[in-house]
């Protein structure tokens, strides 16, 4: 590890605030360092003791002779600042502040926290916490922590590093992993994140050669763009990140707000972040366990086609149900595979997918046949991953089966997972064999299927992750539009002009000043007539819209009428004129828009429009900028995509044009992120040829 | 137990097909009966042995002196029939046929199975299986089984009875329960269900005083109505049923079809069954474990309002997220509760919901305060259930906390659940204390929330379960309509007449024979004109519909035109005339219908109509007949219910009228279940006042 080297592999740790009273957080730090045999120097600090836990105890940081890489502070909050000053003066590398009483306790604590950070920054010292459980490097026996992190049993060594904004809950996830023999590299509870935050730690862990998998519990992050970068880098270097996002519902966010000052942020944007980076979202503790097992196999399905084999029909059915729900398909075998299977599977079984090799098949005496059966399926070119249902097979049979699969796993690049339901003590020693062979063993067929689906999804994202927005000249807003308009909306005409410049088709239309100016020429009827004013947002309500105009006479009458209505009912509004445009009479209404989010910056949203827009919340979003292919992915996620593809015998609509429009919208929002707050295209018509913005509103940043 | 008394508490068991070769399924039956100390008589049967496992071995069933309650058959399929004949002659009560080679193996096996059942029925003997793992009564040490059911460890005694159509998978679920100290009464793997089926067993278990909870894995059931009855009876007697339905997806159903001859049936109808009976659906193994723990508490939330307390902020947030997703709300405390809390919770904590009593709060020295804190919340009148997050609290503190909650649980009717993440061996002996107090301990906050939500949902269904369809005269189809029409469709006019008779409003309309007869009088324009013929299903395609007619002249022209079109393009069709009706010009389009399902009989479906109908599959269904309140529940489940309630500032539509129409439709379908195959109302307009069937089609049974 380059970054954080002194933090995670310190040669000397000072612990300020040790006490015979075990409740003080410094004491367990020292005890744990000694218990697990940390091989650097440990300096307890407390002016009241000459000795602590058999070590010389120092009156102050300043009194310590040697260099200090990490100082752990377990003193009351009022005493923290002087110690930080001492640490800074002594050029300590990192201060891990366990103490509470800072930002989380109110304005006074927040001010104290700010002074602490300012003091540290003056000398380049970095801070973890305050108000945290601290951190551990399990491999190096480094414990700058208290509470659950220092309690027995010690976590085993392994490739997982955990970063958590909740010490208690994060460590609960770690304990569940530990119960399934998953090992850890680092555990960091970040507390208030006054200085070092989750994103910086994740970025650092990506450089740590001993960290292979990153697990994070987060409530909120200050900068979504930095996570986007870290996530993309993680994908590139092949280190999966699993994230549990807390506070994703209204009640959850409210609970988080009362507990932390982290902004929880919009969940839909986090979802977009996960999709765009391959970050794997987890929403249950056992998902963390299952998915880490999956990633430890280091094998990824090349596609979604899986096979399931076993002697329990019910287990195969349950696997098939879960496979379908998670996007996998149980595809057919080649004739060759079926022939090979039929030579080793009893006649009363089945050589189709699911393979039923009948009850009692997995056992020592049958190892050769079992080996051929599984190998045949693994070698089938139409199969990307295999689940073998051991179900209730225990004892020596279980071990014999594990040994067969262990041999096969060593010679395949396809993932092989196992469903096994007998208690660990009844497995005949099979579990270590499976672990050694990196074969994930799951306690239900459904969870086995979801591990395969997750791995397939991760691989798919990884293969498409190099894509970002296409290069090209930035689409800049003309200065004249932005000038003196901050915080205000552009008119419909201005908004559409900008969309057209970005390459998004808008309705064919022109602005007229009076009824006399209005002409049908060059426009295809029916027409729509709308008042054009930057000050009138809701045109319908003041009688500012007329639809279905077909003749010159109707046109003039309509223009006069909307002008009169506007003057009468919105006398203060500045009137640009009247917009005369072609009405879109076919196609399907979508809503598209861009939003400049406080955490993520420009994001693009698309969804079903019309009467269903609010009712269905059939929307999806992505962080801008992105390419046309991402636009396709977004449209595919919408439930109304079946309509776009041509439902009920209707012709398909121009999905390519929609996807291009979304990409263009993302570019427009990104290129003008300093000026544009919001873009709203409602409706965006999906048509048989093309996609047309029929109305649009651009709001500038305040 | 009344039913199945001889099966589950037999005084004598004969086991046919014992062998020194342990592979034969009879042998483990005998060994297990002996190992677990079954206190009845055991008769091994095999003409080749004089003795088996230390018992006298008999040459045949006939050679046994005493009465036999249960005969277990582990002989090859070709030998089963003669043994069944012997058993029948000897008046054996039940034959448990473990052997395979019957219906599952093809037509020959199916014929054998039929002969076996016929033989048994002649003397009143009943059969479990064939092709099954058999059954066990754990309390009475009765094992008429082989395979996993007879393997160590023995299941503990307890209130759960398991009925499973897959022995291997069902027993996997049982093992997961056993690992969490859940005890069993009976386990029955039903195999081919040649005679005794899952539904009959469930009905029998409802009468078993030792069975408190029924757990079932099913792939398909022959008769949904019998399950409906059993489910309603279970609700009435307070014995929860948990069902895992396998084969709910296309791939799952295909896997099931290859493995069993059970019809998997339509999943949406099973979902309706579950809603109407309070049967709790499970889709993961750990859900079975969690929900059984919940039911074992025997306490049910009176509503959806829950509180969460703990020292881990993250755990509270995760609980809140899961609570919201599962329909629970974290409601506010009364001032009284907050005052009581503020006296015992540290100032840096929180006395709002979630209660943050700060880290380290749960411990022996703090037991009094902890007791007051939890009691205050339990006693809050606005709280229906409480979760206490122990999270990583282990050892003596965990035990002290468990003792406090144990005392409180004894004095409250509200459910109290615990999230605890430390390994069992680090809990300081707290787990038995929790179990004794019937406090469910869950390994994640989300699972704790979902247990409370499940219990609240069960209680809600139980409280509303006495409702069925309102009494009243049956709505019978006039004989004249049904006569000679089996398998055919009624005309739109006939269909609507029947709907109107059932109390469902239809569009105001009349049939005319000619243009001359057509009059505007009494009809509100605009009108629609449609060809009326039982032989023309797709009227639009032959030019049989004209819309938007406003004048007498237009009306006559339209009637002439559709008559001409019909005669020209559907010359063979019998023409009843032309339907002249009012066009519905406001409201929202739904689709409603009834279907006479092979498994469930008449069911009613309602969903969003129009362009979204197929795209969104926004539909729900219930088994008929049902009342208006059920109609309301159905409409509430639709995503488009937000539109019905008045989306985007629009006025609300007449949901009461819709609900009444659904109830009426359910009565119509039920009362005419012998004649009607299908009713299709498309569209059913939800209007500001009323609900109107604008088109309808009734198809008669073949």
């Amino acid at each position: 590890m380059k970054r954080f080297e002194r933090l995670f592999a310190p040669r000397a740790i000072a612990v300020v605030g040790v006490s015979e009273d075990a409740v003080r957080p410094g004491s367990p730090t020292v005890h744990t360092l000694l218990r697990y045999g940390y091989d650097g120097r440990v300096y307890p600090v407390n002016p009241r003791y000459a000795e602590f836990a058999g070590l010389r105890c120092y009156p102050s940081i300043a009194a310590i002779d040697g260099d200090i890489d990490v100082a752990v502070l377990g003193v009351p909050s009022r005493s923290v600042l002087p110690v930080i000053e001492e640490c800074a003066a002594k050029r300590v590398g990192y201060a891990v502040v366990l103490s509470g009483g800072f930002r989380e306790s109110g304005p006074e604590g927040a001010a104290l926290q700010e002074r602490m950070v300012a003091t540290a920054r003056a000398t380049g010292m970095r801070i973890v916490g305050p108000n945290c459980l601290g951190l551990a490097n399990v491999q190096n026996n480094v414990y700058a922590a208290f509470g659950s992190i220092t309690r027995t049993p010690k976590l085993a060594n392994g490739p997982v590093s955990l970063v958590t904004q909740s010490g208690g809950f994060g460590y609960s996830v770690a304990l569940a992993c530990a119960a399934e023999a998953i090992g850890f590299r680092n555990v960091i509870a970040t507390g208030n994140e006054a200085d070092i935050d989750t994103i910086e730690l994740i970025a650092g862990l990506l450089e740590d050669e001993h960290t292979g998998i990153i697990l994070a519990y987060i409530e909120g992050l200050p900068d979504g763009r930095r996570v986007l970068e870290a996530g993309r880098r993680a994908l590139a270097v092949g280190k999966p990140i699993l994230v549990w996002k807390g506070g994703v519902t209204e009640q959850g966010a409210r609970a988080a707000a009362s507990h932390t000052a982290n902004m929880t942020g919009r969940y839909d944007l986090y979802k977009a972040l996960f999709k765009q980076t391959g970050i794997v979202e987890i929403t249950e503790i056992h998902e963390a366990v299952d998915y880490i097992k999956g990633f430890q196999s280091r094998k990824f399905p090349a596609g979604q086609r899986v096979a399931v084999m076993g002697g329990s029909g019910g287990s195969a059915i349950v696997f098939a149900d879960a496979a379908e729900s998670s996007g996998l398909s149980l595809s057919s075998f080649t004739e060759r595979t079926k022939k090979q299977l039929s030579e080793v599977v009893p006649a009363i079984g089945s050589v189709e997918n699911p393979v039923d090799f009948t009850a009692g098949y997995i056992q020592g005496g049958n190892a050769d046949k079992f080996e051929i059966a599984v190998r045949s399926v693994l070698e089938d070119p139409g199969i990307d991953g295999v689940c073998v249902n051991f179900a209730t097979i225990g004892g020596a049979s279980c071990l014999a089966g594990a040994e067969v699969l262990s041999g096969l796993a060593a010679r395949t690049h396809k993932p092989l997972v196992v469903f096994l339901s007998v208690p660990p003590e009844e497995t005949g020693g099979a579990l270590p064999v499976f672990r050694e062979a990196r074969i994930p063993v799951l306690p239900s067929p459904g969870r086995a299927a979801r591990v395969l689906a997750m791995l397939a999804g991760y691989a798919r994202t990884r293969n498409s992750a190099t894509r970002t927005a296409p290069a090209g000249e930035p689409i800049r807003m003309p200065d004249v539009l932005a000038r003196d308009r901050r915080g205000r909306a552009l008119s419909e005409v201005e908004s559409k002009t900008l969309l057209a410049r970005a390459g998004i088709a808008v309705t064919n239309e022109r602005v007229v000043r009076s009824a006399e100016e209005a002409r049908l020429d060059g426009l295809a009827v029916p027409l729509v007539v709308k008042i054009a004013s930057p000050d009138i947002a809701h045109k319908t309500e003041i009688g500012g819209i007329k639809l279905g105009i077909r003749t010159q006479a109707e046109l003039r009458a309509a223009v006069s009428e909307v002008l009169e209505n506007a003057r009468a009912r919105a006398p203060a509004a500045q009137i640009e004129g009247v917009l005369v445009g072609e009405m879109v009479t076919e196609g399907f209404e979508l809503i598209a828009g861009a939003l400049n989010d406080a955490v993520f910056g420009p994001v693009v949203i698309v969804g079903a429009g019309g009467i269903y827009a609010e009712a269905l919340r059939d929307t999806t979003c992505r962080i801008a900028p992105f390419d046309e292919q991402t636009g396709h992915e977004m449209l595919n996620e919408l439930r109304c995509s079946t309509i776009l593809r041509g439902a009920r015998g209707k012709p398909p609509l121009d999905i390519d044009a929609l996807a291009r429009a979304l990409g263009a919208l993302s570019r427009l929002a990104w290129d003008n992120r300093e000026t544009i707050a919001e873009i709203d295209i409602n409706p965006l018509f999906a048509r048989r040829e093309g996609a047309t913005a029929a109305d649009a509103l651009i709001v500038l940043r305040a």
Side-chain angles (χ1 to χ4, degrees), chain A residues 113-151:
Chain A
Q113 181 169 315
E114 272 178 41
R115 284 205 298 281
M116 177 177 75
V117 173
T119 305
R121 292 226 166 114
T123 63
M125 184 173 79
R126 304 297 309 272
I127 292 175
V128 173
N131 186 33
C132 72
L133 285 188
L135 60 95
N137 177 322
V138 178
Q139 271 161 282
N140 298 350
N141 302 313
V142 173
Y143 285 80
F146 76 117
S148 48
I149 296 182
T150 58
R151 278 190 217 124

Side-chain angles (χ1 to χ4, degrees), chain A residues 261-277:
Chain A
N262 282 319
M263 282 189 43
T264 50
R266 283 178 53 173
Y267 186 36
D268 55 344
L269 304 185
Y270 275 92
K271 288 258 190 202
L273 167 75
F274 300 153
K275 286 173 197 161
Q276 287 175 277
T277 55

Side-chain angles (χ1 to χ4, degrees), chain A residues 601-618:
Chain A
V603 295
V604 167
I605 300 154
V606 66
I611 184 173
Y612 277 86
E614 277 172 60
L616 299 178
R617 295 188 192 155
D618 183 18

Side-chain angles (χ1 to χ4, degrees), chain A residues 2 12 22 27 44 64 72 98 121-122 124-125 134 279 343 350 384 485 491 512 537 553 618 645 649 685:
Chain A
K2 287 97 204 168
S27 310
I64 297 168
V72 181
L98 308 178
R121 292 226 166 114
M125 184 173 79
I279 289 177
E343 284 164 17
S350 167
D384 301 313
R485 303 276 281 278
S491 72
V512 300
D618 183 18
R645 287 193 289 269
F685 273 98

Side-chain angles (χ1 to χ4, degrees), chain A residues 478 481 491-502 506 509:
Chain A
L481 286 183
S491 72
E492 179 178 346
V493 178
E494 292 167 336
S495 298
K496 282 176 164 175
T497 305
L498 201 52
L499 289 183
R501 184 185 289 208
V506 298
E509 61 198 4

Side-chain angles (χ1 to χ4, degrees), chain A residues 24 39-41 52 170 271 310 347 382 439 469 549 577:
Chain A
R24 290 285 287 279
D39 67 2
R41 281 181 299 277
F52 181 83
K271 288 258 190 202
I439 296 172
I549 292 150

Side-chain angles (χ1 to χ4, degrees), chain A residues 41 152 169 212 221 227 229 248 267 305 357 451 467 471 573 578 588 603 644:
Chain A
R41 281 181 299 277
T152 53
F169 185 67
L221 298 172
V227 196
E229 280 165 34
V248 298
Y267 186 36
R305 304 161 309 168
F357 47 54
V451 165
R467 286 182 358 234
V578 176
F588 179 75
V603 295
L644 301 178

